[in-house]
Amino acid sequence: GQQVMQIPQYQHVQEGEDFTTYCNSSTTLSNIQWYKQRPGGHPVFLIQLVKSGEVKKQKRLTFQFGEAKKNSSLHITATQTTDVGTYFCAGDNLQGGSEKLVFGKGMKLTVNP
Amino acid sequence: NAGVMQNPRHLVRRRGQEARLRCSPMKGHSHVYWYRQLPEEGLKFMVYLQKENIIDESGMPKERFSAEFPKEGPSILRIQQVVRGDSAAYFCASSPQRQGYFFGPGTRLTVL
């Protein structure tokens, strides 16, 4: 079945640093979505990318969808303590016959103030 | 416009009892998804429903688990004869078609 993999699984950064996390799918996706879950909370939708090569920015967060629509990246600049949480990517493969999202295992971010 | 509502937020059951989890989607959303999350793990798809229809239940165990989304009222995820391995956070999400999911606060199930 469809698999979505995220690397790295854990990321520890110093406040103010930049970093990038990656998401790879075993199948071509119709769209990819990113979510953030704070400790003890629930996943919150951040963004959806649909077009090949699409780039979207939300303040210090930059999201990119690969040309082949099988991978995506999230880049955070000048990391802050409020960025702490687990970031999930999720793929929607309509060719698989269902509209459900398949989630990666997440990238857990901790920030050293 | 209230968000996705789930209740109870916390549920404790003894082995062999039944657990019933409820989810009310956002107003206007006709798609409901249930996911299970173990500690430090990702979200595992269980079932996708529309009103009165199960669209995809490929992630739900064949035994002891069932789900429904009646014409009136919330979606319900039912776990019969719970075992310790059922302990997890169960999240419900709703969505307008092919857009981002709105997750509820989750039900934390503990099986003693």
Side-chain angles (χ1 to χ4, degrees):
Chain A
Q2 180 187 6
Q3 289 187 326
V4 175
M5 293 146 287
Q6 290 187 246
I7 51 170
Q9 200 172 344
Y10 300 94
Q11 181 87 42
H12 180 75
V13 300
Q14 199 70 27
E15 191 172 20
E17 284 184 348
D18 301 351
F19 79 92
T20 303
T21 184
Y22 301 91
C23 175
N24 298 299
S25 169
S26 57
T27 60
T28 302
L29 301 170
S30 58
N31 72 81
I32 197 156
Q33 300 178 20
W34 285 87
Y35 292 78
K36 178 183 177 182
Q37 184 177 25
R38 293 183 187 277
H42 60 277
V44 174
F45 173 72
L46 294 177
I47 208 151
Q48 177 178 274
L49 304 168
V50 179
K51 298 176 185 173
S52 169
E54 187 172 12
V55 177
K56 286 188 177 179
K57 288 193 174 187
Q58 283 183 354
K59 296 183 180 177
R60 295 177 294 102
L61 276 62
T62 302
F63 303 85
Q64 185 164 9
F65 202 5
E67 294 291 340
K69 300 183 77 173
K70 292 182 74 173
N71 54 65
S72 180
S73 64
L74 160 59
H75 180 79
I76 301 183
T77 57
T79 310
Q80 299 178 0
T81 53
T82 52
D83 295 326
V84 162
T86 301
Y87 293 81
F88 293 97
C89 65
D92 173 353
N93 173 17
L94 282 188
Q95 293 172 354
S98 173
E99 295 179 29
K100 68 175 184 284
L101 285 180
V102 176
F103 282 78
K105 288 193 172 183
M107 187 282 297
K108 186 173 183 179
L109 174 66
T110 52
V111 178
N112 207 22
Chain B
N1 189 7
V4 177
M5 296 195 293
Q6 288 188 251
N7 67 80
R9 296 287 298 275
H10 299 273
L11 182 61
V12 179
R13 285 286 178 266
R14 296 193 180 278
R15 279 179 296 170
Q17 290 184 319
E18 178 179 288
R20 195 172 287 226
L21 288 59
R22 294 174 190 78
C23 168
S24 296
M26 286 183 72
K27 190 175 180 181
H29 289 188
S30 59
H31 300 239
V32 167
Y33 307 83
W34 285 92
Y35 284 80
R36 176 162 68 177
Q37 186 176 42
L38 294 169
E40 304 294 316
E41 292 277 327
L43 295 149
K44 291 280 199 266
F45 169 77
M46 297 184 74
V47 62
Y48 161 35
L49 310 105
Q50 294 180 16
K51 282 284 187 185
E52 299 185 280
N53 280 310
I54 296 175
I55 307 301
D56 183 345
E57 56 182 348
S58 59
M60 199 156 67
K62 294 281 186 282
E63 296 178 357
R64 301 190 298 109
F65 285 73
S66 62
E68 62 175 4
F69 189 13
K71 189 176 179 181
E72 302 291 337
S75 175
I76 295 176
L77 179 67
R78 186 176 170 216
I79 312 173
Q80 294 177 289
Q81 298 177 320
V82 295
V83 301
R84 289 223 173 102
D86 296 332
S87 295
Y90 291 83
F91 289 99
C92 162
S94 73
S95 171
Q97 191 172 8
R98 300 205 57 208
Q99 297 181 37
Y101 287 7
F102 292 83
F103 280 88
T107 294
R108 270 77 177 172
L109 173 65
T110 302
V111 179
L112 301 176

